[in-house]
């Protein structure tokens, strides 16, 4: 099957007297949508915010006087409605719950529900609410948990930290700390270790965001003792 489906969006200015929208290929009508007589209705209930579980739940009622099927879209704003980003673009029910852990901390958060019959759209927006700021979440790569290295083998760590308010932290905001038979500290996205003595180790990566909040990740690993290969026992002939 060589058929390829390509989706696209096109925003056009809504004129109050528009009765029909058509998608044309030259003079051929590929698709069209006719405005129904009435717009849908939507009523967003007060939000249910759980700061401990870091969730927010929306409930709403919606109906269409023309009995058209409805679809919804949910938008989030962290700046009191100045800008919006989509959280879900294909809502068909009447409730939704979101984890706010990935939302930037703000005291001007808002959620918006848009309900459409395919042409007409109804909108309702929540009151502003507070989302607590979050600590960054560091991630360590390059070494898997409890990995074992031969003595003398180079060990390379790669790290990053993601923060809902700051995005990806810069290297100078990342601090490495090695504990074990040997110790080491460093700053940056990468850390290379050479000639590490045998033993068990813990590498800690700490990220500090612009609000001074910190998050840590750890990775345990082991450096094995120097291996002495097996060989035949030497023979002594009694002569020096």
């Amino acid at each position: 099957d060589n058929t390829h489906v390509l989706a696209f969006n096109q925003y056009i200015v809504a004129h109050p007297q528009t009765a029909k929208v058509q998608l044309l290929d030259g003079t051929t009508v590929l698709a069209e949508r006719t405005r129904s007589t009435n717009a849908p209705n939507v009523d967003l209930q007060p939000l249910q915010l759980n700061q401990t579980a870091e969730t927010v739940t929306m409930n709403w009622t919606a109906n269409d006087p023309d009995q058209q099927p409805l679809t919804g879209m949910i938008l989030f704003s962290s700046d009191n409605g100045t800008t919006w980003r989509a959280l879900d673009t294909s809502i068909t029910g009447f409730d939704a719950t979101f984890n706010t852990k990935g939302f930037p901390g703000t005291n001007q958060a808002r959620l918006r529900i848009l309900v459409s019959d395919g042409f007409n759209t109804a909108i309702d927006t929540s009151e502003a609410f507070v989302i607590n700021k979050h600590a960054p979440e560091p991630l360590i790569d390059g070494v898997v948990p409890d990995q074992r290295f031969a003595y003398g083998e180079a060990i390379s760590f790669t790290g990053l930290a993601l923060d809902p308010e700051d995005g990806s932290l810069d290297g100078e905001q990342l601090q490495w700390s090695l504990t074990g038979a040997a110790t080491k500290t460093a700053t940056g996205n990468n850390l290379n270790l050479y000639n590490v003595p045998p033993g068990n180790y813990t590498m800690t990566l700490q990220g500090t965001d612009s609000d001074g909040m910190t998050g840590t990740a750890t990775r345990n690993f082991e450096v094995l003792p120097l291996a002495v290969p097996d060989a035949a026992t030497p023979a002594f002939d009694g002569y020096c």
Side-chain angles (χ1 to χ4, degrees):
D1 186 359
N2 294 322
T3 301
H4 298 281
V5 178
L6 178 64
F8 67 94
N9 292 310
Q10 176 64 53
Y11 294 94
I12 58 177
V13 177
H15 191 282
Q17 295 182 339
T18 300
K20 181 184 294 185
V21 174
Q22 295 180 325
L23 177 63
L24 303 176
D25 181 6
T27 58
T28 303
V29 178
L30 302 178
E32 66 179 21
R33 181 75 69 176
T34 301
R35 183 196 292 269
S36 59
T37 304
N38 301 288
N41 303 300
V42 62
D43 182 23
L44 178 62
Q45 306 302 310
L47 300 178
Q48 301 173 40
L49 188 65
N50 188 326
Q51 295 285 13
T52 302
E54 295 186 290
T55 60
V56 59
T57 298
M58 304 173 66
N59 292 276
W60 62 90
T61 59
N63 64 80
D64 185 76
D66 302 313
Q67 304 303 310
Q68 298 289 327
L70 300 176
T71 58
M73 176 185 295
I74 294 175
L75 306 179
F76 169 76
S77 173
S78 61
D79 52 16
N80 206 32
T82 301
T83 59
W84 296 90
R85 67 181 177 95
L87 299 180
D88 195 323
T89 59
S90 57
I91 288 289
T92 57
F94 299 97
D95 63 85
T97 298
F98 298 97
N99 190 318
T100 60
K101 193 173 183 178
F103 293 176
T106 177
N107 59 3
Q108 295 184 320
R110 289 182 184 269
L111 286 168
R112 172 174 285 178
I113 176 72
L114 296 84
V115 174
S116 174
D117 62 7
F119 197 111
N120 302 296
T121 301
I123 301 174
D124 200 3
T125 305
S126 74
E127 297 294 328
F129 61 98
V130 174
I131 296 178
N132 294 332
K133 291 188 175 183
H134 306 284
E137 292 191 2
L139 302 170
I140 296 176
D141 199 5
V143 175
V144 300
D146 300 315
Q147 186 170 348
R148 306 175 82 188
F149 295 91
Y151 175 73
E153 184 178 356
I155 305 172
S156 298
F157 289 88
T158 300
L160 61 86
L162 302 176
D163 185 80
E165 290 79 43
D166 297 347
S168 181
L169 299 188
D170 294 331
E172 58 266 25
Q173 296 172 283
L174 303 177
Q175 178 73 38
W176 298 93
S177 177
L178 177 69
T179 58
T183 61
K184 183 179 180 65
T185 59
T187 300
N189 292 99
N190 303 289
L191 176 61
N192 299 314
L193 302 177
Y194 304 98
N195 300 316
V196 180
N200 293 304
Y201 292 88
T202 298
M203 179 65 78
T204 300
L205 176 62
Q206 177 176 286
T208 305
D209 65 17
S210 60
D211 298 307
M213 302 182 73
T214 61
T216 59
T218 60
R219 187 61 42 92
N220 296 320
F221 66 98
E222 181 182 2
V223 177
L224 301 175
L226 178 64
V228 178
D230 292 334
T233 302
F236 297 94
D237 56 11
Y239 294 97
C240 295

